[in-house]
């Protein structure tokens, strides 16, 4: 009997070749089914968006990729394209990343290397609180409080560096500050806790031996960080930033509330108005009734889904599937 | 180990160390200042935002009607009525979402930790990551395409809950997975050694050990989906009165109340907007607080 036992201890599922119990089979099927359900959910999202988008794409009178129009009032004469949506989405996300990446790096370093150990947790909690604020409140604050405060700065940027395309006069007046720039600043605040929390965990795993080695060689605190913490955590930091980028690309309501719409096409300025993919869809949500015009928005949603899918997949592959949560 | 005892006993004299050069000192100082500055910068939006919301919204919360009345029959410019209907709506939608998302999420996490080997497990982990990156508006559009457009169902709070499920699932899976991995292997082995079947080991030994962590994760996930606005814009209509039926009729949640009152230019509307924002933040903070308390008072015993 003993000889017949096969055991591979050390594995989580230690199995003694015994009878298969019905309870085990049922439970295993249940849990596997739940795992499978998530895979199927993603597949269904892609599939259904595609199914609903194709008829509208076929009926599109404009070029979907390069048209700046988004006219869906007449189902028989759909004219829509994603040029402007793509430009505005990418610009807002890039502004957010450019601001949030260095600041998050600083915060993660502060929390793991500089803050007194006793205070590190409460400090980290304060940064995490930024993630607890819902995006619609960020939107409110952005357009009613932050925007007016940023307005003089944006006017100064525009008048001083207006020769540089990014700071050129946009397709909406700066007054009220419903610009890509304001959206970027608000998105940056929303990204801080996301990028920081992942980066912080990676930095915390820096081998103590390396840190102590650097200290023993007489390195200053900054040199320790530069030679041990940063090289060790670089991939985690980049993966975290990609996750943040994914979040920024898909942010909906904050952008919808802040960004002013513009009748003119975007011209790559930070002082443009317009819509991102997400805010365009949300802005038309109440008019979803006829299948063809709705399909136009669903096709924009499909592009957004593919974009975030790719960004998240890249983030995951950079992190090696371990550091990123 | 050839150093003699006398060398070790002697204290190091100054020439033994090289002084840190000025430029290195300055670099170190600059780095320190920048890092501390980064942290302070992060606090600016937090403090500024909270102060703005509290200062503009606290008056709405002081009226007792706010917590007990809806806006039914209240004129746009009237300082009356409350957010009771929206609070109910928010809680209902979140709870229905949790009722669906938590069992699936926990089971999926059990699969990943206890059973998951091979291709399907790798694909599942990958898809959980992808799902956690799906924008809320895309989740809303998907539910719209599936429920409203394909099945021909009307707008309802249940559709919102289904969209929220997609957003909540990955959070529940990730946090549960993490907690299950913290459960010591010895506990499982002891249970197996006593002849307890694997499923019973998981249900009676592993899950109870990880329970507080799982509950914490669920509370945080609920706090996260509570503030989602995109699904309610697409999937349910605004209503000024109370509705307990999630399958039929319009139902207002706090984000939807904020969004629709934004179109109300009267001072009363502005007060409602900020009041609802403050109420939403308070609700979310409450969930966060409970989560923190649960995890503090019943942390996993790893030893």
């Amino acid at each position: 009997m003993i000889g017949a036992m096969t055991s591979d201890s050390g594995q989580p599922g230690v199995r003694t070749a015994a009878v298969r119990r019905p309870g085990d089979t049922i439970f295993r099927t249940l849990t596997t089914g739940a795992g499978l359900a998530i895979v199927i959910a993603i597949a269904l999202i892609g599939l259904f968006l595609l199914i609903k988008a194709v008829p509208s794409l076929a009926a599109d009178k404009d070029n979907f990729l390069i048209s700046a129009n988004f006219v869906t009032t007449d189902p028989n004469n759909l004219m829509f394209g994603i040029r402007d949506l793509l430009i505005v989405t990418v610009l807002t996300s890039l502004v957010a990343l450019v601001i949030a990446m260095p600041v998050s790096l600083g915060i993660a370093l502060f929390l793991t290397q500089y803050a007194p150990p006793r205070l590190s947790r409460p400090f980290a909690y304060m940064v995490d609180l930024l993630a607890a604020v819902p995006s619609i409140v960020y939107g409110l604050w952005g357009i009613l409080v932050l925007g007016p405060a940023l307005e003089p700065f944006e006017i100064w940027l525009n008048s001083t560096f207006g020769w540089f395309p990014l700071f050129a006069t946009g397709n909406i007046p700066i007054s009220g500050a419903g610009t890509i720039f304001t959206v970027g600043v608000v998105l940056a605040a929303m990204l801080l806790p996301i990028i920081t929390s992942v980066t912080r965990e990676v930095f915390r795993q820096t081998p103590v031996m390396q840190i102590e080695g650097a200290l023993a060689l007489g390195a200053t605190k900054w040199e320790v960080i530069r030679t041990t913490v940063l090289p060790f955590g670089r991939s985690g930091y980049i993966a975290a930033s990609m996750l943040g980028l994914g979040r920024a690309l898909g942010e909906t309501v904050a952008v919808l509330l802040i960004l002013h719409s513009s009748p003119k096409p975007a011209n790559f300025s930070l002082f443009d108005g317009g819509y991102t993919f997400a805010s365009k869809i949300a802005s038309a949500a109440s008019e979803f009734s006829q299948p063809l015009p709705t399909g136009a928005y669903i096709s924009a949603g499909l592009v957004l889904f593919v974009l975030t899918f790719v960004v998240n997949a890249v983030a995951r592959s950079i992190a090696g599937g371990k550091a990123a949560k | 180990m050839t150093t003699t005892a006398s060398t070790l006993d002697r204290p190091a004299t100054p020439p033994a160390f090289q002084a840190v050069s000025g430029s290195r000192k300055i670099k170190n100082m600059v780095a320190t200042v920048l890092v501390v500055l980064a942290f302070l910068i992060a606090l600016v939006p937090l403090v500024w935002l909270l102060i703005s919301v509290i200062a503009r919204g606290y008056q709405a919360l002081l009226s007792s009607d706010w917590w007990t009345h809806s806006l039914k029959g209240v004129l746009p410019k009237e300082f009356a009525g409350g957010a009771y209907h929206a609070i109910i709506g928010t809680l209902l939608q979140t709870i229905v979402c949790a009722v669906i998302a938590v069992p699936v999420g926990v089971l999926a996490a059990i699969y990943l930790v206890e059973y998951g080997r091979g291709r399907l497990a790798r694909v599942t982990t990958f898809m959980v990551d992808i799902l956690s990156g799906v924008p809320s508006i895309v989740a809303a559009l998907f539910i719209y395409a599936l429920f409203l457009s394909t099945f021909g169902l009307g707008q309802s709070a249940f559709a919102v809950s289904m969209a929220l499920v997609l957003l909540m699932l990955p959070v529940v899976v990730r946090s549960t997975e993490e907690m299950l991995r913290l459960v010591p292997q010895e506990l499982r082995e002891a249970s197996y050694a006593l002849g307890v079947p694997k499923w019973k080991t998981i249900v009676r030994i592993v899950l109870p050990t990880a329970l507080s962590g799982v509950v914490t994760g669920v509370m945080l996930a609920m706090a996260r989906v509570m503030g989602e606005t995109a699904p309610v814009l697409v999937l349910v209509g605004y209503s000024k009165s109370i509705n307990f039926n999630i399958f039929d009729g319009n139902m207002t949640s706090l984000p939807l109340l904020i969004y629709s009152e934004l179109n109300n230019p009267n001072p009363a509307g502005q007060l409602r907007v900020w009041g609802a924002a403050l109420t939403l933040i308070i609700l979310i903070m409450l969930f966060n607080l409970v989560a923190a308390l649960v995890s503090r008072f019943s942390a996993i015993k790893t030893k």
Side-chain angles (χ1 to χ4, degrees):
Chain A
M1 195 56 207
I2 292 169
M5 290 259 214
T6 56
S7 71
D8 46 356
S9 57
Q11 293 295 313
V14 179
R15 206 185 303 147
T16 54
V19 278
R20 276 217 160 271
R21 297 181 182 86
D24 266 338
T25 319
I26 294 170
F27 197 68
R28 191 190 178 99
T29 316
L30 263 180
T31 55
T32 314
L36 206 59
I38 291 176
V39 180
I40 293 174
I42 292 280
L44 282 183
I45 293 178
L47 187 70
F48 266 86
L49 293 185
L50 196 64
I51 289 176
K52 295 289 165 189
V54 165
S56 306
L57 285 174
D60 191 359
K61 294 268 194 325
D62 269 358
N63 186 316
F64 181 61
L65 291 179
I66 57 169
S67 165
N69 288 326
F70 217 103
V71 187
T72 58
T73 38
D74 179 7
N76 298 317
N77 195 17
L78 290 180
M79 298 205 298
F80 62 95
I82 55 169
R83 175 189 177 266
D84 275 19
L85 303 184
L86 189 64
I87 293 173
V88 175
T89 306
V90 170
L91 273 184
T92 47
S93 306
L94 286 186
V95 173
L97 267 194
V98 165
I99 300 173
M101 274 182 74
V103 178
S104 313
L105 181 66
I107 300 170
L109 285 178
F110 175 79
L111 292 176
T112 57
Q113 312 295 325
Y114 285 87
R118 185 187 294 269
L119 289 177
S120 173
R121 266 180 83 93
F123 281 169
Y125 188 71
M126 284 158 83
V127 177
D128 287 342
L129 273 186
L130 272 174
V133 177
S135 59
I136 191 165
V137 180
Y138 273 110
L140 275 182
W141 174 71
I143 191 60
L144 296 174
V145 181
L146 181 72
L150 277 180
E151 193 183 315
F153 178 65
E154 290 183 28
I155 289 172
W156 174 80
L157 266 183
N158 179 232
S159 58
T160 317
F161 299 103
W163 47 269
F164 189 66
L166 274 183
F167 299 114
T169 306
N171 56 13
I172 53 163
I174 291 180
S175 65
T179 60
I180 290 179
F181 185 83
T182 314
V183 172
V185 174
V186 173
L187 285 181
M190 303 174 72
L191 296 193
L192 284 182
I194 298 169
I195 304 182
T196 306
S197 69
V198 178
T199 311
R200 185 175 85 202
E201 291 313 313
V202 181
F203 283 178
R204 203 157 266 157
Q205 288 164 13
T206 312
V208 183
M209 298 283 261
Q210 287 186 15
I211 296 178
E212 286 174 350
L215 282 173
L217 290 172
T220 61
K221 185 131 197 162
W222 168 242
E223 285 160 350
V224 170
I225 290 170
R226 219 193 39 176
T227 54
T228 66
V229 179
L230 290 185
F232 179 83
R234 190 190 296 126
S235 65
Y237 169 57
I238 293 173
S241 306
M242 294 293 285
L243 288 181
L245 175 64
R247 184 61 64 85
L249 290 172
E251 178 48 49
T252 311
V253 188
V255 183
L256 178 62
L257 293 191
I258 297 171
L259 205 55
H260 289 173
S261 60
S262 166
K264 283 175 276 180
N267 47 17
F268 295 98
S269 160
L270 294 187
F271 305 116
D272 277 346
Y275 289 102
T276 64
F277 285 110
S279 74
K280 184 75 192 174
I281 299 164
S283 72
S286 54
E287 296 148 26
F288 287 179
S289 49
Q290 290 165 297
L292 276 181
T294 308
Y297 293 97
I298 291 183
S299 55
L302 181 65
V303 176
L304 178 61
F305 176 61
V306 172
L307 263 184
T308 50
F309 191 108
V310 170
V311 167
N312 279 289
V314 171
R316 200 189 132 83
S317 70
I318 292 175
K322 218 57 196 141
K325 277 196 271 192
Chain B
M1 294 301 125
T2 51
T3 338
T4 55
S6 61
T7 329
L8 286 177
D9 287 343
R10 225 177 329 132
T13 44
F17 298 108
Q18 211 169 24
V20 177
S21 70
S23 70
R24 289 173 64 204
K25 265 187 192 160
I26 290 171
K27 266 188 200 160
N28 191 35
M29 288 257 285
V30 170
T32 310
V33 170
L34 284 180
V35 162
V36 174
L37 209 62
F39 177 67
L40 294 180
I41 287 177
L43 296 186
V44 171
L46 180 66
V47 173
W48 191 359
L49 187 146
L50 288 180
I51 289 178
S52 329
V53 175
I54 294 171
R56 293 167 188 229
Y58 80 97
Q59 275 179 320
L61 272 64
L62 293 182
S63 107
S64 61
D65 278 2
W66 183 260
W67 304 99
T68 53
H69 285 68
S70 71
L71 286 172
K72 192 175 183 179
V74 176
L75 294 173
K77 62 177 194 297
E78 236 180 322
F79 284 93
Y84 179 67
H85 59 314
I87 297 172
I88 291 292
T90 298
L91 290 178
L92 266 181
Q93 287 166 15
T94 312
I95 288 167
V96 171
C97 159
V99 166
I100 300 168
V102 170
V104 180
V106 170
L107 282 175
I110 291 177
Y111 166 70
L112 287 176
V113 176
E114 308 284 340
Y115 292 101
R117 304 278 174 278
R119 190 107 157 260
L120 179 62
R122 275 202 306 278
V123 174
T124 308
T125 335
F126 177 70
M127 286 308 178
V128 171
D129 279 350
I130 296 297
L131 195 57
S132 69
V134 167
S136 52
I137 189 78
V138 171
L141 268 187
F142 165 62
I143 296 296
Y144 178 88
L146 183 68
F147 274 47
L148 280 71
S149 184
T150 307
F151 294 164
L153 304 171
Q155 287 192 325
S156 71
F158 184 69
V160 175
S161 294
M162 289 308 291
L164 295 182
V165 165
L166 290 176
L167 304 171
M168 187 171 180
L169 257 182
V171 188
V172 174
V173 175
R174 278 285 164 266
S175 63
T176 309
E177 206 186 334
E178 221 166 275
M179 287 304 135
L180 291 181
R181 288 194 200 284
L182 281 182
V183 174
Q185 201 54 46
E186 290 87 337
L187 277 184
R188 295 186 181 91
E189 283 163 7
S191 171
Y192 296 145
L194 292 172
V196 181
K198 180 161 184 170
W199 72 274
K200 217 171 213 174
T201 306
I202 295 170
V203 175
R204 302 294 288 276
I205 308 287
V206 178
L207 270 186
T209 315
L211 189 64
S212 70
V214 174
V215 172
T216 308
V218 168
M219 299 292 288
L220 289 176
M222 286 172 84
R224 197 202 128 180
V225 298
M226 208 173 259
E228 286 294 350
T229 316
V232 295
L233 293 185
V234 180
L235 298 170
V236 76
Y238 176 69
S239 156
K240 291 174 108 182
S241 42
I242 301 162
N243 176 13
F244 281 102
N245 185 354
I246 58 158
F247 293 104
D248 193 30
N250 295 338
M251 186 193 279
T252 303
S253 56
L254 284 164
L256 191 54
L257 175 67
I258 298 173
Y259 190 76
S260 38
E261 284 295 328
L262 262 178
N263 297 324
N264 178 353
N266 299 296
Q270 296 307 302
L271 187 61
R272 274 176 220 147
V273 165
W274 291 100
L278 183 56
T279 314
L280 187 55
I281 290 183
I282 290 175
L283 265 186
I284 290 174
M285 293 295 165
L286 268 182
F287 271 74
N288 273 304
L289 192 70
V290 173
L293 289 180
V294 169
S295 77
R296 158 123 4 141
F297 287 118
S298 49
I300 280 198
K301 296 157 196 78
T302 41
K303 278 271 147 36

